[in-house]
Amino acid sequence: MTRLAAVLCLTVIALGCDRRSEPSGPPSASVDRQLRTAFANWGVVPIGPMPAQDTALVRLGRALMFDKILSGNRDVACATCHQPSAHMGDGLPLAVGTGGTGTGASRVPGPGREFVPRNAPPLLNTGLGLFYVFWDGQVSGFGTGPFQTPAGIVLPRVPNVLAAQAMFPVVNRREMRGEPGDVDVFGSPNELAQYGDSQYVEIWRAVMRRLTGIPEYVALFNAAFPGTPTAQLGFQHAATAVAAFQMSTLTTTGSPFDRYLARDDAALTVQEKRGALLFFREARCVECHNGPFLGGQTFTNAGVPQLGPGVGRAAPLDFGFGEVVNQEFYRFAFRVAPLRNVELTAPYMHNGAFPTLEAVIDHYNDVPGTLAAYDGSHLPPALRGMVHNDDATIAAVLATLDFRVSRPLGLTEVERRDLVAFLRALTDPAARNLEGLVPASVPSGLPVR
């Protein structure tokens, strides 16, 4: 047998001699070599440690994350859509902001309200290694900035992109701020809703007036920012604290995949390694999902079905990144989701179109076919009539479909199961139960749940 033939034989054995049947026995050592070579080629390295955060800053950020005082009607907190019980998401395809009723996956819009147009992105492992945040990349930047945001030059100085992101949910009417004429849970006028949508500075100042009117918050801010007089505190300080809370509590690096990255060859099972080989080779997942977070750095039109109320000039459709950069080439392109702990963050895609990892893999196995056949019968009743699967919309999505997903992969059922097994190996057991993050109370005295 020639050396080339021997190498080819080993490769076939590693992947399974018959791709249509379940391979048996342990993978050869060559599989580990192949995977580690792929890691190096695609920048898949361990997630670095988050910078240590001051405990007073984290304490303030935790209170703010769970306090409904930040919303115009005092009825939703950041944690309403980023719940520890739902692994820092909400379990819904599309988020439900102010005016909604219920909690978690049972939450529905209130009378006269609409769904938030996009899925609430889970906050697990958002980290500081990501350049883009939000599904459409409207906030971006590395290090200490400068950051590109909808606020432009009026954005106050913030220390990182997570803090920049935290500046904006409070200004979004559907998410937190409310509509003109709204009254809060006590029947008082919603003063945050009176400002125009581009009056960022005025809205942030109004939120801070609420916070600094509560003595307990003044004490928390003074402890977190001892060099800043209370009169000089701005919402950028609140956003900095929320980001510190995220960094200190929501970055988890104890998954089987993390242990495998640390050279523990036994950390992944035989099936998980087969799935990893598919991820990095035949299935081509790594072409988008690469780097330490396995995604989060680029945008793609992955042929996701359109559903919901839509965004901006495209409504009831959603052009995603194409709306932000005003380029037809990027229509229907959204940020490639980071995959760490992805098992815990269903439903999937920018609009929660797919309820399970299996459904996601089926979609990528034949994107044009899945898009054309999508019916949304699994969606919550209030969303089923908001699926846009008419011929014109399907054609529009396919017109800018990423070429990397334009052809069916032809993965077998066994291979699809192997891929899902690998994706589940990205789960840190510590991320499964985050209920300990919920405080017993918050300074405003509003209910935490």
Side-chain angles (χ1 to χ4, degrees):
M1 180 181 290
T2 66
R3 182 177 180 182
L4 175 59
V7 172
L8 290 175
C9 184
L10 283 173
T11 302
V12 170
I13 292 171
L15 292 175
C17 293
D18 181 358
R19 293 180 71 220
R20 305 281 165 183
S21 63
E22 184 84 36
S24 60
S28 70
S30 69
V31 171
D32 295 316
R33 290 195 296 270
Q34 292 171 58
L35 286 175
R36 298 197 187 286
T37 297
F39 296 165
N41 290 340
W42 291 100
V44 180
V45 297
I47 297 174
M50 288 295 106
Q53 302 298 312
D54 179 77
T55 55
L57 194 62
V58 173
R59 190 179 303 115
L60 170 61
R62 182 190 187 203
L64 292 168
M65 172 68 72
F66 290 90
D67 202 331
K68 297 174 181 177
I69 193 73
L70 296 185
S71 63
N73 295 325
R74 293 177 169 85
D75 63 339
V76 292
C78 302
T80 301
C81 293
H82 302 287
Q83 298 182 15
S85 60
H87 310 104
M88 304 313 288
D90 61 5
L92 290 167
L94 301 181
V96 176
T98 184
T101 58
T103 59
S106 63
R107 188 169 170 80
V108 295
R113 306 284 178 168
E114 287 189 314
F115 285 95
V116 174
R118 295 175 183 148
N119 177 262
L123 300 183
L124 281 173
N125 284 64
T126 43
L128 289 179
L130 300 177
F131 183 80
Y132 295 103
V133 291
F134 290 114
W135 284 111
D136 60 5
Q138 62 181 279
V139 172
S140 61
F142 269 138
T144 58
F147 302 106
Q148 300 296 316
T149 78
I153 62 172
V154 304
L155 180 77
R157 184 171 179 81
V158 290
N160 53 62
V161 74
L162 293 182
Q165 178 187 40
M167 297 290 293
F168 290 95
V170 298
V171 305
N172 186 292
R173 289 194 183 277
R174 204 172 294 179
E175 291 180 23
M176 297 189 78
R177 189 157 66 96
E179 301 292 339
D182 277 359
V183 295
D184 68 15
V185 294
F186 301 113
S188 301
N190 174 352
E191 83 282 15
L192 303 185
Q194 67 179 320
Y195 298 105
D197 292 348
S198 61
Q199 290 184 278
Y200 299 104
V201 173
E202 290 80 1
I203 297 166
W204 290 327
R205 286 174 178 167
V207 176
M208 286 305 295
R209 283 195 293 271
R210 286 188 177 188
L211 294 175
T212 55
I214 299 172
E216 187 176 345
Y217 265 125
V218 172
L220 287 171
F221 273 101
N222 289 341
F225 300 97
T228 304
T230 302
Q232 294 180 20
L233 290 168
F235 192 71
Q236 67 270 26
H237 296 96
T240 297
V242 171
F245 171 75
Q246 290 181 234
M247 286 186 284
S248 68
T249 60
L250 301 180
T251 300
T252 64
T253 56
S255 71
F257 183 66
D258 287 296
R259 299 199 305 274
Y260 190 77
L261 283 177
R263 313 297 296 189
D264 177 3
D265 288 350
L268 297 182
T269 67
V270 173
Q271 184 184 31
E272 290 162 356
K273 289 182 183 181
R274 290 199 307 263
L277 282 172
L278 287 165
F279 184 96
F280 284 93
R281 299 200 319 198
E282 286 86 353
R284 306 196 301 273
C285 311
V286 74
E287 293 180 11
C288 294
H289 295 281
N290 48 58
F293 295 91
L294 295 179
Q297 309 288 23
T298 57
F299 296 84
T300 187
N301 173 359
V304 178
Q306 288 276 299
L307 61 92
V311 174
R313 60 193 173 92
L317 304 182
D318 186 348
F319 286 165
F321 189 54
E323 176 92 5
V324 172
V325 297
N326 194 27
Q327 291 187 26
E328 185 173 348
F329 177 82
Y330 285 109
R331 282 187 180 178
F332 307 108
F334 295 87
R335 190 184 69 143
V336 174
L339 295 183
R340 297 310 198 103
N341 293 300
V342 67
E343 173 193 4
L344 306 177
T345 59
Y348 301 104
M349 307 302 196
H350 72 276
N351 54 13
F354 300 116
T356 65
L357 287 175
E358 288 81 1
V360 173
I361 299 301
D362 288 345
H363 173 68
Y364 281 118
N365 201 32
D366 182 5
V367 170
T370 305
L371 175 62
Y374 188 83
D375 67 2
S377 59
H378 62 280
L379 295 170
L383 271 179
R384 291 173 193 166
M386 302 177 73
V387 175
H388 312 298
N389 58 351
D390 56 281
D391 290 345
T393 298
I394 292 172
V397 173
L398 292 176
T400 57
L401 185 68
D402 192 308
F403 73 94
R404 292 170 292 188
V405 298
S406 62
R407 291 179 289 112
L409 293 173
L411 298 175
T412 69
E413 182 179 346
V414 168
E415 289 169 329
R416 296 198 295 273
R417 288 202 303 266
D418 290 349
L419 267 175
V420 170
F422 170 66
L423 293 175
R424 287 178 174 152
L426 304 176
T427 303
D428 184 339
R432 292 188 181 277
N433 186 354
L434 302 174
E435 281 295 300
L437 299 178
V438 183
S441 62
V442 288
S444 70
L446 291 165
V448 173
R449 301 286 189 176

